[in-house]
Amino acid sequence: MAAGLAISTTFLATPGHAGPTLDKIKERGSIKVGVGTTPGFFAPDSSGKWQGFFIDYGRALSIAVFGTPDKVEFTNSSPQQRLPALQSGEFDILLSGVTVTVTRAFQLGFHFGPTIFYDGQGILVRKDLNVGKAADLDGATIGIQSGTTGELNIADFFRKTGKQFTPVTIEDTSEFIDALQSGRVDAITQDSSDLVGKRTQLKNPDDYVVLPERLSKEPLAPAIAGGDDRWLEIVNWTVNATIQAEEWGITSANVDEFLKSEDPAIKRFLGVDPALGQSIGLDPKWAYNIIKTVGNYGELFDKHLKPLGWERGYNRLWTDGGLLYSPPFR
């Protein structure tokens, strides 16, 4: 029994082997990330530098792998292009608001990290239509982005409610705004995260409203190609680190004070006790460096999404009635 325990302990303490994706990342010296263009989530600033909630998770991954936030390349990819691009190896990861679905897991062979943002499909309409809920849009013309789960969701909704609508398929997301402002469509439907951002881009945002109900569950998570378990676990625990830090009250501003903590779990998490980092093959300070550089989950939300009017909602910690929960760091 003692011999068996010794073998078991050695096995658990040995980091898993890198797979093809992580090997390519290390050989290349950077992580290739597919993103979209939605204010607050991912968008280049006036100088061309990418900013946003999902962007900072790309930088956090760079810290976990390379120890610096800058070894990451962001590329805008449309919903029609992003999934084939991930399958072909053009990207190492998608941080473009990909919805977790069973067909994407089984048919496309994708693995998903933890849900970073709990979303749902919404509808953005002109206020002068005087509608208060989606079912009031009977007979409306609605813009839908091709290549998304939204096409099926809106069709299912109207079929279920016995109402009628005319779909207008729009491939280029930038055309959504023009279609709505010009009156080509009465409303547009996407994930509510996209709609909140698009509303800010309208000439007269106060003339439009996002209807209150959500037509679907849209858990948005990092997506990677299958076949590299170690890369998947790095993605998993990078996301979990930002959630766990918020749960403990550790922020980018006070993380150095927590280095003095006597709590053994916090000491492991921040690398004061290096055993955890060494056992998984990462820099013992990897979680510390992520929080010090980009912040915890709440900081990222407040920085990028709160200014757009987002409330935490389901994206609160489980201790606050939300769905965010990190497994233990041990």
Side-chain angles (χ1 to χ4, degrees), residues 35 48 52 107 120 123 132 149 168 207 222-223 227 238 264 273 287 310 312 324 326 328:
V35 296
Q107 293 183 0
I123 300 177
T149 54
V168 175
D207 293 343
T238 294
D273 175 354
W310 275 104
R312 287 287 292 265
L324 292 184
S326 171

Side-chain angles (χ1 to χ4, degrees), residues 116-250:
I116 300 181
F117 191 85
Y118 290 92
D119 203 357
Q121 185 170 336
I123 300 177
L124 178 65
V125 303
R126 302 196 317 269
K127 282 184 179 179
D128 61 16
L129 290 180
N130 296 316
V131 298
K133 57 184 185 299
D136 295 337
L137 287 169
D138 192 18
T141 300
I142 301 178
I144 307 167
Q145 188 164 23
S146 61
T148 68
T149 54
E151 288 185 275
L152 298 176
N153 292 337
I154 193 71
D156 285 349
F157 173 80
F158 277 92
R159 188 179 301 114
K160 182 171 58 177
T161 57
K163 308 293 183 180
Q164 301 293 321
F165 80 108
T166 301
V168 175
T169 303
I170 300 173
E171 290 196 11
D172 187 348
T173 184
S174 63
E175 294 180 11
F176 262 38
I177 294 174
D178 291 337
L180 187 59
Q181 290 185 143
S182 67
R184 178 184 170 198
V185 298
D186 301 310
I188 58 175
T189 183
Q190 282 182 301
D191 290 353
S192 57
S193 54
D194 291 312
L195 296 181
V196 169
K198 282 184 169 52
R199 183 174 176 273
T200 65
Q201 298 173 318
L202 293 164
K203 292 178 181 177
N204 299 298
D206 291 340
D207 293 343
Y208 302 85
V209 63
V210 178
L211 295 179
E213 65 261 78
R214 297 294 175 261
L215 310 185
S216 65
K217 294 186 293 185
E218 303 291 336
L220 307 183
I224 68 171
D228 196 331
D229 293 344
R230 183 156 177 77
W231 176 226
L232 174 62
E233 293 304 337
I234 289 175
V235 172
N236 287 341
W237 290 99
T238 294
V239 174
N240 289 334
T242 67
I243 298 170
Q244 182 62 70
E246 184 182 11
E247 192 172 321
W248 275 327
I250 303 174

Side-chain angles (χ1 to χ4, degrees), residues 118-119 214 311-318 321-324:
Y118 290 92
D119 203 357
R214 297 294 175 261
E311 299 294 336
R312 287 287 292 265
Y314 291 129
N315 297 294
R316 297 189 300 267
L317 293 175
W318 67 282
L323 298 177
L324 292 184

Side-chain angles (χ1 to χ4, degrees), residues 10-329:
T10 302
F11 175 75
L12 290 173
T14 303
H17 294 293
T21 302
L22 193 55
D23 285 340
K24 285 193 300 183
I25 289 170
K26 291 183 174 180
E27 182 179 354
R28 185 192 309 125
S30 65
I31 303 170
K32 290 188 175 182
V33 179
V35 296
T37 51
T38 299
F41 288 91
F42 21 57
D45 61 18
S46 57
S47 65
K49 184 177 181 179
W50 284 92
Q51 304 288 350
F53 182 76
F54 284 107
I55 296 300
D56 275 346
Y57 275 100
R59 295 191 173 111
L61 283 169
S62 176
I63 293 169
V65 175
F66 295 110
T68 173
D70 301 321
K71 292 190 175 183
V72 56
E73 305 170 30
F74 298 105
T75 301
N76 177 29
S77 184
S78 72
Q80 299 82 12
Q81 299 168 334
R82 63 190 182 186
L83 301 184
L86 181 61
Q87 281 185 305
S88 68
E90 183 178 340
F91 299 127
D92 303 313
I93 186 169
L94 289 179
L95 285 169
S96 54
V98 181
T99 299
V100 180
T101 71
V102 65
T103 52
R104 288 172 176 175
F106 278 85
Q107 293 183 0
L108 301 183
F110 293 160
H111 289 315
F112 294 95
T115 297
I116 300 181
F117 191 85
Y118 290 92
D119 203 357
Q121 185 170 336
I123 300 177
L124 178 65
V125 303
R126 302 196 317 269
K127 282 184 179 179
D128 61 16
L129 290 180
N130 296 316
V131 298
K133 57 184 185 299
D136 295 337
L137 287 169
D138 192 18
T141 300
I142 301 178
I144 307 167
Q145 188 164 23
S146 61
T148 68
T149 54
E151 288 185 275
L152 298 176
N153 292 337
I154 193 71
D156 285 349
F157 173 80
F158 277 92
R159 188 179 301 114
K160 182 171 58 177
T161 57
K163 308 293 183 180
Q164 301 293 321
F165 80 108
T166 301
V168 175
T169 303
I170 300 173
E171 290 196 11
D172 187 348
T173 184
S174 63
E175 294 180 11
F176 262 38
I177 294 174
D178 291 337
L180 187 59
Q181 290 185 143
S182 67
R184 178 184 170 198
V185 298
D186 301 310
I188 58 175
T189 183
Q190 282 182 301
D191 290 353
S192 57
S193 54
D194 291 312
L195 296 181
V196 169
K198 282 184 169 52
R199 183 174 176 273
T200 65
Q201 298 173 318
L202 293 164
K203 292 178 181 177
N204 299 298
D206 291 340
D207 293 343
Y208 302 85
V209 63
V210 178
L211 295 179
E213 65 261 78
R214 297 294 175 261
L215 310 185
S216 65
K217 294 186 293 185
E218 303 291 336
L220 307 183
I224 68 171
D228 196 331
D229 293 344
R230 183 156 177 77
W231 176 226
L232 174 62
E233 293 304 337
I234 289 175
V235 172
N236 287 341
W237 290 99
T238 294
V239 174
N240 289 334
T242 67
I243 298 170
Q244 182 62 70
E246 184 182 11
E247 192 172 321
W248 275 327
I250 303 174
T251 69
S252 57
N254 67 19
V255 64
D256 288 329
E257 289 299 312
F258 274 87
L259 294 175
K260 305 170 187 176
S261 173
E262 292 302 319
D263 185 327
I266 293 176
K267 292 173 74 171
R268 288 192 299 268
F269 179 71
L270 296 179
V272 176
D273 175 354
L276 179 64
Q278 291 170 350
S279 70
I280 62 176
L282 294 178
D283 182 336
K285 289 291 190 75
W286 68 279
Y288 165 86
N289 291 329
I290 287 172
I291 304 309
K292 181 71 173 179
T293 305
V294 303
N296 67 31
Y297 185 97
E299 288 182 280
L300 295 177
F301 193 101
D302 289 349
K303 176 183 177 182
H304 297 296
L305 303 181
K306 194 172 182 179
L308 296 178
W310 275 104
E311 299 294 336
R312 287 287 292 265
Y314 291 129
N315 297 294
R316 297 189 300 267
L317 293 175
W318 67 282
T319 50
D320 295 328
L323 298 177
L324 292 184
Y325 184 101
S326 171
F329 277 75

